[in-house]
Amino acid sequence: YGKNTIKFLRLHKEGKKHFVKEVEVCTHLRLISAQEYLEGNNSHVIPTDTIKNIVLVLAKKNGIPSLEQFAIDICNHFMTTFCQVMYVKTYVQEVPWQRLHENGVPHIHSFICVPDGIRFCEAEQCRNGPLIVFAGIKDLKLMKTTQSGFEGFYKNEHTTLPERHDRILCGELFCKWSYGECKDFDFDCIWNKIRECILEAFAGPPDCGEYSPSYQKTVNSIQMLVLSKVSQVQVIEVVLNNTFYNVLDMKNLGLTNDKEVLIPVEAPYGSCACTLARK
Amino acid sequence: YGKNTIKFLRLHKEGKKHFVKEVEVCTHLRLISAQEYLEGNNSHVIPTDTIKNIVLVLAKKNGIPSLEQFAIDICNHFMTTFCQVMYVKTYVQEVPWQRLHENGVPHIHSFICVPDGIRFCEAEQCRNGPLIVFAGIKDLKLMKTTQSGFEGFYKNEHTTLPERHDRILCGELFCKWSYGECKDFDFDCIWNKIRECILEAFAGPPDCGEYSPSYQKTVNSIQMLVLSKVSQVQVIEVVLNNTFYNVLDMKNLGLTNDKEVLIPVEAPYGSCACTLARK
Amino acid sequence: YGKNTIKFLRLHKEGKKHFVKEVEVCTHLRLISAQEYLEGNNSHVIPTDTIKNIVLVLAKKNGIPSLEQFAIDICNHFMTTFCQVMYVKTYVQEVPWQRLHENGVPHIHSFICVPDGIRFCEAEQCRNGPLIVFAGIKDLKLMKTTQSGFEGFYKNEHTTLPERHDRILCGELFCKWSYGECKDFDFDCIWNKIRECILEAFAGPPDCGEYSPSYQKTVNSIQMLVLSKVSQVQVIEVVLNNTFYNVLDMKNLGLTNDKEVLIPVEAPYGSCACTLARK
Amino acid sequence: YGKNTIKFLRLHKEGKKHFVKEVEVCTHLRLISAQEYLEGNNSHVIPTDTIKNIVLVLAKKNGIPSLEQFAIDICNHFMTTFCQVMYVKTYVQEVPWQRLHENGVPHIHSFICVPDGIRFCEAEQCRNGPLIVFAGIKDLKLMKTTQSGFEGFYKNEHTTLPERHDRILCGELFCKWSYGECKDFDFDCIWNKIRECILEAFAGPPDCGEYSPSYQKTVNSIQMLVLSKVSQVQVIEVVLNNTFYNVLDMKNLGLTNDKEVLIPVEAPYGSCACTLARK
């Protein structure tokens, strides 16, 4: 297969108000034959440069109504235009430009980049197969300073970790989910709803939180809440890249450290992941 | 000289509410003699490990009331404790954890990382000299989709750039300013006020913006507004790393592109910088 | 599943001569049940900290005879020690320290880091399944300044790329291959032989090179040469991340540019990949 | 001031043999007036795009005989062509392409990227001042597995570091030196000689090494050897970014670790630097 990446900005105006989408689009293609590899026969090969042009022409003609719709449009174009294409996948990722506000007033043409979780989506299709749409969020960094522990784990002669019932829970979240049959979904609205579910399941109620017995259980809580609240989601994958913090032992410096000063642990660096599907 | 960097988390509670500061502290020291370099005599050398311990002990004892106060405390400690220290500089940078909100309600112990401009400060002192405090913001990415141009520049046989009166203005801002005599400043409040000035000077009024004839003039507008609105600032340095966007020529694809599709230009990559002081 | 990464140095001496291996080891585990996710029951969970200890104890006891043997030892340990482990995969990557030479004389204890292609390997096993070993090289950057073209590709109304019969071929290579039944392989020797095959197939004969009609054909040539020369390789995957260079048009600067000045193209960024197995 | 960066490839042939230089050039300019900042008057501004064109035209016309000569040519061009330029500095850095060898035979047109220390240079000039040339090496990673210690340092109540007489010495070197009056220097030859001095001073004799009592003394040894062996060097700056390795305590795992397994310490991360001039 071959893939390529292109990054661009799409502007549009409604009256005097400006709207901006900056996206990175990566298109994977697999052709019916492999003659370009085996024989050096390029007659079926669609050059990177042509793929770039197609993505830009579609952006110019249709705009980017939502990341998901744009990815669907690109897949459809390749499947219907090129009979030598066996499989196409389009990944679209957004640069998180947000409208600037001055004293609460939105600015008509100024934006600030706020990378608190990056939105992405994927559309993929095999010839004669259904078009499947995924969406997700990545690089979302979250922390709970209490209501987290890790106890009752398996122990043997190589175990040195003490049990803890009040540790820091901190990590970088990656979530990706698939939609079933994509009818007339409001992709922007659903994505925002799912993001709220993720934050709620991670943090628990604002006044007291909710105890997490492990990174793994927190992963599962996020999946369960999304599946229960958002009916369009069929399968959800969550990966949590953990950052561990150790309470620094300050005894040899003559001090008692009551979980006030903590040091991030670079290694071992762990992550846990789970994929859960609706029955 | 020698320097070292340490990263840690400082937690504290008020009732059941948790507060978190994660900082990276870099301490530079220059000693009175250079005998450790010239003769391999280490008797004046303060090991990296000891510097780390001092920073952590100060964080444990005093907390981090503000980045600036913490940097001042560290400088003072080194100057008063070690007579072999000739010069000390402390740089403190914050990981931008923000309290999580659920439906507008702040969470008592959950946080999200929102890197829309990183706050930092510096305190430095020579033996027998004054303690000087700097503060700043970096990695602040801003964009204006109109009200920007670049015309009337110098031209000769190597000029190929056309004049433009409606281009994209986009860049990554670095601002650093010095305070005069630091009395009882409310460093957090001043920093927030300066950040607002920067955004206002970059964007102009929310309903119409303000025309920028160059990156350089925008840099100057930011400096002028900060100096006029924030009396504690003595000198302000601004660096703007430009991202250029080219309107894609789509004529050979049979389309007219009216500043709708733009491509970021990786090279040449430019930046402009200026330092301005109060008279 | 869960995974974690640990980085460390393993030293050993033969007489006065020192040998060093610095490796990054990532271990993936999948357990028989998912009760830690679903029920928050941690009784089967092997903490990250324990995994780290096991890797370090094995390095201490056995050393790192080769990356592959070390990965095999780790897999075996987890499978035989923990009956709750369903699947284990160990990835080992080397920091490319090379012995320093002074005027051709090897130094007994000094090393320099030379990252011209990073060696890695993987061992994986399902309970009751065979142990499979992979090895590979990544981040290997190569360039041919001639003997490369791209012609006869598919064309339609979105094609703007001209045909070229003398372009630059430049890219970053990733190769990964699997061994069949691992008997008493000399993994270091085989790896070096495969690296030579890759370079030879990419570059062609030293005095004249060999024409490449596409990135895809070069990928295939590498695979074919490795499979024909190294009988231990069963399957080989090659990914070539292309860097395109455009001959700069200098006509408007009054100059003819005969492939003398070229500019790297940041986007579109392409890559091609293929997996080939022995019949 | 303003600066900009451009990256490109310069090819040339001697008979059928190809030669390649890929460089990144960064040009800083300061103009006589600051009217573009203060008044938005662009009439003296030399656009980034023009600077790029000049660099590329010079590369096309003169080639890149050495990095230093190319930087000198660029400085001279700006000073003699633009009377509004007050100061110019040109930084040139090389992508470390090396000719590929097959069984010891050099290939006529194939290259491999070997980043074991990056070569760079700088030329700078103020109007009416001399042209000064610097050269250097960066990102050079070196390690000694013995013949290094750190003892006799300053101690107080915050000291926890034990004295060590046999530790690992590992770091990333940055060296930058200035030449005096640049007559007809063979810059390539001098640079290679200095690189050899750096390695020799770091490592000591190949059969036994030389004891280093601190990172600082190693920095000084490098400077002293370069100044004594290379008469063209006037001033030399060395920065050594240390990577510390701790011998892992394996007592609680029932093992004695005789400096066999070591863990890199991420923080505190230290560096030491010194600038030394010929008397």
Side-chain angles (χ1 to χ4, degrees):
Chain A
Y1 71 90
K3 68 176 184 178
N4 83 51
T5 300
I6 167 83
K7 198 175 175 183
F8 65 94
L9 205 71
R10 180 64 170 88
L11 283 188
H12 85 274
K13 289 182 235 180
E14 296 180 7
K16 294 185 67 177
K17 200 172 179 187
H18 285 232
F19 294 82
V20 64
K21 284 248 166 77
E22 185 167 7
V23 292
E24 207 174 296
V25 177
C26 182
T27 307
H28 300 237
L29 294 178
R30 198 155 43 217
L31 302 184
I32 279 166
S33 87
Q35 63 191 21
E36 74 276 24
Y37 286 92
L38 302 176
E39 299 157 30
N41 178 339
N42 295 329
S43 63
H44 284 174
V45 178
I46 306 162
T48 289
D49 189 72
T50 305
I51 299 172
K52 177 197 75 168
N53 287 336
I54 290 168
V55 170
L56 294 170
V57 164
L58 290 173
K60 155 71 189 167
K61 285 186 174 166
N62 308 347
I64 304 180
S66 68
L67 297 193
E68 290 83 359
Q69 192 55 54
F70 187 53
I72 292 168
D73 291 352
I74 294 170
C75 276
N76 281 336
H77 181 92
F78 279 97
M79 266 303 162
T80 55
T81 309
F82 300 99
C83 56
Q84 73 264 46
V85 168
M86 188 60 194
Y87 167 81
V88 56
K89 180 165 78 175
T90 302
Y91 172 89
V92 184
Q93 175 181 312
E94 195 173 22
V95 178
W97 293 109
Q98 289 186 7
R99 190 170 296 281
L100 206 66
H101 286 71
E102 293 182 11
N103 302 314
V105 184
H107 199 284
I108 53 162
H109 62 243
S110 293
F111 302 87
I112 179 169
C113 187
V114 185
D116 58 346
I118 302 292
R119 180 173 171 182
F120 68 89
C121 76
E122 243 175 50
E124 71 171 339
Q125 188 168 19
C126 279
R127 188 157 294 280
N128 303 323
L131 192 149
I132 305 169
V133 179
F134 300 86
I137 185 167
K138 60 174 202 166
D139 302 340
L140 174 62
K141 282 174 204 145
L142 299 172
M143 182 191 283
K144 279 171 63 171
T145 54
T146 189
Q147 289 280 52
S148 161
F150 188 49
E151 299 177 286
F153 45 79
Y154 189 86
K155 295 179 192 64
N156 70 1
E157 77 273 22
H158 292 121
T159 309
T160 52
L161 188 75
E163 307 223 320
R164 278 173 298 181
H165 63 277
D166 186 11
R167 63 170 183 176
I168 302 277
L169 179 60
C170 180
E172 193 179 288
L173 260 174
F174 170 93
C175 294
K176 181 178 163 184
W177 54 89
S178 75
Y179 294 114
E181 276 188 64
C182 287
K183 294 156 207 164
D184 291 331
F185 286 176
D186 181 340
F187 290 110
D188 290 350
C189 172
I190 299 174
W191 191 89
N192 283 313
K193 198 171 160 194
I194 293 175
R195 187 180 191 274
E196 275 169 37
C197 287
I198 292 169
L199 298 182
E200 188 188 327
F202 179 88
D207 59 335
C208 60
E210 191 176 325
Y211 184 72
S212 161
S214 66
Y215 280 86
Q216 289 88 336
K217 189 73 181 78
T218 291
V219 161
N220 183 255
S221 301
I222 291 169
Q223 294 173 315
M224 295 301 284
L225 193 67
V226 171
L227 285 173
S228 75
K229 289 249 183 108
V230 188
S231 63
Q232 295 91 343
V233 172
Q234 299 303 311
V235 181
I236 177 164
E237 176 190 3
V238 174
V239 183
L240 185 49
N241 289 307
N242 321 330
T243 307
F244 296 116
Y245 287 88
N246 277 341
V247 176
L248 182 69
D249 186 343
M250 301 183 95
K251 253 177 266 161
N252 58 357
L253 294 162
L255 293 165
T256 313
N257 181 7
D258 183 21
K259 219 185 77 164
E260 294 157 296
V261 179
L262 300 103
I263 307 279
V265 180
E266 302 290 335
Y269 174 83
S271 91
C272 62
C274 191
T275 303
L276 206 65
R278 196 177 290 286
K279 275 190 194 167
Chain B
Y1 71 89
K3 68 176 183 177
N4 83 53
T5 300
I6 167 82
K7 197 174 174 182
F8 65 96
L9 205 70
R10 180 65 171 88
L11 282 188
H12 86 273
K13 290 181 234 178
E14 296 180 7
K16 294 183 66 177
K17 199 173 180 188
H18 285 231
F19 295 82
V20 63
K21 284 249 167 76
E22 185 167 8
V23 291
E24 205 174 296
V25 178
C26 182
T27 307
H28 301 236
L29 294 178
R30 198 155 44 218
L31 302 184
I32 279 166
S33 87
Q35 64 191 20
E36 74 275 25
Y37 285 93
L38 302 175
E39 299 157 31
N41 177 339
N42 295 328
S43 63
H44 284 175
V45 178
I46 307 163
T48 289
D49 190 72
T50 305
I51 299 172
K52 177 197 76 168
N53 287 337
I54 290 168
V55 170
L56 294 170
V57 165
L58 290 173
K60 156 72 188 163
K61 286 186 173 165
N62 307 347
I64 305 180
S66 68
L67 297 193
E68 290 83 358
Q69 192 55 54
F70 188 54
I72 292 168
D73 290 352
I74 294 170
C75 276
N76 281 337
H77 181 92
F78 278 97
M79 266 303 162
T80 56
T81 309
F82 300 99
C83 57
Q84 73 265 44
V85 168
M86 188 60 195
Y87 167 82
V88 56
K89 180 165 77 175
T90 303
Y91 172 88
V92 184
Q93 175 182 311
E94 196 173 21
V95 179
W97 293 110
Q98 288 187 8
R99 190 170 297 282
L100 205 66
H101 286 71
E102 293 181 12
N103 301 313
V105 183
H107 198 284
I108 54 162
H109 63 242
S110 293
F111 302 88
I112 179 170
C113 187
V114 185
D116 57 346
I118 303 292
R119 180 172 169 182
F120 69 89
C121 76
E122 243 176 51
E124 72 171 339
Q125 189 168 19
C126 279
R127 188 156 294 282
N128 304 320
L131 192 149
I132 304 169
V133 179
F134 299 85
I137 184 168
K138 61 174 200 165
D139 302 340
L140 174 61
K141 282 175 204 145
L142 299 171
M143 182 192 283
K144 279 172 63 172
T145 53
T146 189
Q147 288 282 50
S148 160
F150 188 48
E151 300 177 285
F153 45 78
Y154 189 86
K155 294 177 192 67
N156 70 1
E157 78 273 21
H158 292 121
T159 307
T160 51
L161 188 75
E163 307 223 319
R164 278 172 299 181
H165 63 278
D166 185 13
R167 62 169 184 178
I168 302 277
L169 179 60
C170 180
E172 192 179 289
L173 258 174
F174 170 93
C175 295
K176 182 178 164 185
W177 54 88
S178 75
Y179 293 114
E181 277 189 63
C182 288
K183 295 155 206 166
D184 291 333
F185 286 176
D186 181 340
F187 289 110
D188 290 350
C189 173
I190 299 173
W191 190 88
N192 284 312
K193 197 170 161 193
I194 293 175
R195 187 180 190 274
E196 275 170 36
C197 286
I198 292 169
L199 298 181
E200 187 188 328
F202 178 87
D207 58 335
C208 60
E210 191 177 324
Y211 184 73
S212 161
S214 65
Y215 279 86
Q216 289 88 337
K217 188 73 181 77
T218 291
V219 161
N220 183 254
S221 300
I222 291 169
Q223 294 173 316
M224 296 300 284
L225 192 67
V226 171
L227 286 173
S228 76
K229 289 250 183 108
V230 188
S231 62
Q232 294 90 343
V233 172
Q234 299 302 310
V235 181
I236 177 164
E237 177 191 2
V238 174
V239 183
L240 185 49
N241 290 307
N242 321 329
T243 307
F244 296 116
Y245 287 87
N246 277 341
V247 176
L248 181 69
D249 186 343
M250 301 183 96
K251 252 176 267 162
N252 57 358
L253 294 162
L255 291 166
T256 312
N257 181 7
D258 183 22
K259 219 185 78 165
E260 294 157 295
V261 179
L262 300 103
I263 307 279
V265 180
E266 302 289 335
Y269 174 81
S271 90
C272 61
C274 191
T275 303
L276 206 67
R278 198 176 288 285
K279 275 190 193 166
Chain C
Y1 72 90
K3 67 176 185 179
N4 83 51
T5 301
I6 167 83
K7 198 175 174 182
F8 65 94
L9 205 71
R10 181 65 171 88
L11 282 187
H12 85 273
K13 289 180 236 179
E14 296 180 8
K16 294 184 68 178
K17 199 172 179 187
H18 285 232
F19 294 83
V20 63
K21 283 248 167 77
E22 185 167 9
V23 291
E24 206 174 295
V25 178
C26 182
T27 308
H28 300 236
L29 294 178
R30 198 156 42 219
L31 302 183
I32 279 166
S33 87
Q35 64 192 19
E36 74 275 24
Y37 285 92
L38 303 174
E39 299 157 30
N41 178 339
N42 295 329
S43 63
H44 284 173
V45 178
I46 306 162
T48 288
D49 190 72
T50 305
I51 299 172
K52 177 197 75 167
N53 287 337
I54 290 169
V55 170
L56 294 170
V57 164
L58 290 173
K60 156 72 189 166
K61 286 185 174 166
N62 308 348
I64 305 180
S66 69
L67 298 193
E68 291 82 359
Q69 192 55 54
F70 188 53
I72 291 169
D73 290 352
I74 294 171
C75 275
N76 281 337
H77 181 93
F78 279 97
M79 266 303 162
T80 56
T81 309
F82 301 99
C83 57
Q84 74 265 44
V85 168
M86 187 61 196
Y87 167 83
V88 56
K89 181 165 77 177
T90 302
Y91 172 89
V92 184
Q93 176 182 313
E94 196 173 22
V95 179
W97 293 110
Q98 289 186 7
R99 191 171 297 281
L100 206 66
H101 286 71
E102 293 182 11
N103 302 313
V105 183
H107 199 284
I108 54 162
H109 63 242
S110 293
F111 302 87
I112 179 169
C113 187
V114 185
D116 57 346
I118 302 293
R119 180 172 169 182
F120 68 88
C121 76
E122 242 175 51
E124 71 171 340
Q125 188 168 20
C126 279
R127 188 157 293 282
N128 304 322
L131 193 149
I132 305 169
V133 179
F134 300 86
I137 185 167
K138 60 174 201 164
D139 302 341
L140 175 60
K141 282 173 205 147
L142 298 172
M143 181 191 284
K144 277 171 65 170
T145 54
T146 189
Q147 288 281 51
S148 160
F150 188 48
E151 299 176 287
F153 45 79
Y154 189 86
K155 294 180 192 65
N156 70 1
E157 77 273 22
H158 292 120
T159 307
T160 53
L161 188 75
E163 307 222 320
R164 278 172 300 182
H165 63 277
D166 186 12
R167 62 170 184 176
I168 302 277
L169 179 61
C170 180
E172 194 179 289
L173 259 174
F174 170 93
C175 294
K176 182 178 164 185
W177 54 87
S178 76
Y179 295 114
E181 275 188 66
C182 287
K183 295 155 205 165
D184 290 332
F185 286 176
D186 181 338
F187 290 111
D188 290 350
C189 172
I190 299 173
W191 190 89
N192 284 313
K193 196 170 160 196
I194 294 175
R195 187 180 190 275
E196 274 170 37
C197 286
I198 292 168
L199 298 181
E200 187 188 328
F202 179 87
D207 58 335
C208 61
E210 190 176 325
Y211 184 71
S212 161
S214 65
Y215 280 85
Q216 289 88 336
K217 189 73 181 77
T218 291
V219 161
N220 183 253
S221 301
I222 292 169
Q223 295 172 315
M224 296 301 284
L225 192 67
V226 171
L227 286 173
S228 75
K229 290 247 184 109
V230 189
S231 63
Q232 296 90 343
V233 172
Q234 299 303 310
V235 181
I236 178 164
E237 176 191 2
V238 174
V239 183
L240 184 49
N241 289 308
N242 322 330
T243 307
F244 297 115
Y245 287 87
N246 277 339
V247 176
L248 182 69
D249 185 344
M250 301 183 96
K251 252 177 266 161
N252 58 358
L253 293 162
L255 292 165
T256 312
N257 182 8
D258 183 22
K259 219 184 77 164
E260 295 158 296
V261 179
L262 300 102
I263 307 279
V265 180
E266 302 289 335
Y269 174 83
S271 90
C272 62
C274 192
T275 303
L276 206 65
R278 197 177 288 286
K279 275 190 197 170
Chain D
Y1 72 90
K3 67 176 183 177
N4 83 52
T5 301
I6 167 83
K7 197 174 175 184
F8 65 94
L9 205 71
R10 180 65 171 89
L11 283 188
H12 86 275
K13 290 180 235 180
E14 296 180 7
K16 293 184 68 179
K17 198 172 179 189
H18 285 232
F19 294 83
V20 64
K21 283 248 166 77
E22 185 167 7
V23 291
E24 206 174 297
V25 178
C26 182
T27 308
H28 299 236
L29 294 178
R30 198 155 44 219
L31 302 184
I32 279 166
S33 87
Q35 63 191 20
E36 74 275 23
Y37 285 92
L38 303 175
E39 298 157 32
N41 178 339
N42 294 330
S43 63
H44 284 173
V45 178
I46 306 162
T48 288
D49 189 72
T50 305
I51 299 172
K52 177 196 74 168
N53 287 337
I54 290 168
V55 169
L56 294 169
V57 165
L58 290 172
K60 155 72 189 164
K61 286 186 174 166
N62 307 347
I64 305 181
S66 69
L67 297 193
E68 290 83 358
Q69 191 56 53
F70 188 54
I72 292 169
D73 290 352
I74 295 170
C75 276
N76 281 336
H77 181 92
F78 279 97
M79 266 303 163
T80 54
T81 309
F82 301 99
C83 56
Q84 73 265 45
V85 168
M86 188 60 196
Y87 167 82
V88 57
K89 181 165 77 176
T90 301
Y91 172 89
V92 184
Q93 176 182 312
E94 196 173 21
V95 179
W97 293 110
Q98 289 186 8
R99 190 171 297 281
L100 205 66
H101 286 70
E102 293 182 12
N103 302 315
V105 184
H107 199 284
I108 54 163
H109 62 243
S110 294
F111 302 88
I112 179 169
C113 187
V114 185
D116 58 346
I118 301 292
R119 179 171 170 184
F120 68 88
C121 76
E122 242 175 52
E124 72 171 339
Q125 188 167 22
C126 278
R127 189 157 291 282
N128 304 321
L131 192 148
I132 304 168
V133 179
F134 299 86
I137 185 168
K138 60 174 201 165
D139 302 341
L140 174 62
K141 283 175 203 145
L142 298 171
M143 181 190 284
K144 278 172 65 170
T145 54
T146 188
Q147 288 280 50
S148 161
F150 188 50
E151 299 177 286
F153 46 78
Y154 189 87
K155 294 178 193 65
N156 71 0
E157 78 273 21
H158 292 120
T159 307
T160 52
L161 188 76
E163 307 222 321
R164 278 172 299 181
H165 63 278
D166 186 12
R167 62 169 183 177
I168 301 278
L169 179 60
C170 180
E172 192 180 290
L173 259 174
F174 170 94
C175 294
K176 181 178 164 184
W177 53 88
S178 75
Y179 294 114
E181 276 188 66
C182 287
K183 295 155 205 163
D184 290 332
F185 286 176
D186 181 339
F187 290 111
D188 291 350
C189 172
I190 299 173
W191 191 88
N192 284 313
K193 196 170 162 193
I194 293 175
R195 187 180 189 275
E196 275 170 38
C197 287
I198 292 169
L199 298 182
E200 186 188 327
F202 179 88
D207 58 335
C208 59
E210 191 176 325
Y211 184 72
S212 161
S214 65
Y215 280 85
Q216 289 88 337
K217 188 73 181 77
T218 291
V219 161
N220 183 254
S221 301
I222 292 169
Q223 294 173 315
M224 295 301 284
L225 193 66
V226 171
L227 286 173
S228 75
K229 289 249 184 107
V230 189
S231 62
Q232 295 90 343
V233 171
Q234 299 303 309
V235 181
I236 177 164
E237 177 191 2
V238 174
V239 183
L240 185 49
N241 290 307
N242 322 330
T243 307
F244 297 116
Y245 287 87
N246 278 340
V247 176
L248 182 69
D249 185 343
M250 300 183 96
K251 252 176 267 162
N252 58 358
L253 294 162
L255 292 165
T256 312
N257 181 7
D258 183 22
K259 218 183 79 164
E260 294 157 294
V261 179
L262 300 103
I263 307 279
V265 180
E266 302 289 335
Y269 175 83
S271 90
C272 62
C274 191
T275 303
L276 206 66
R278 198 178 287 286
K279 273 191 195 165

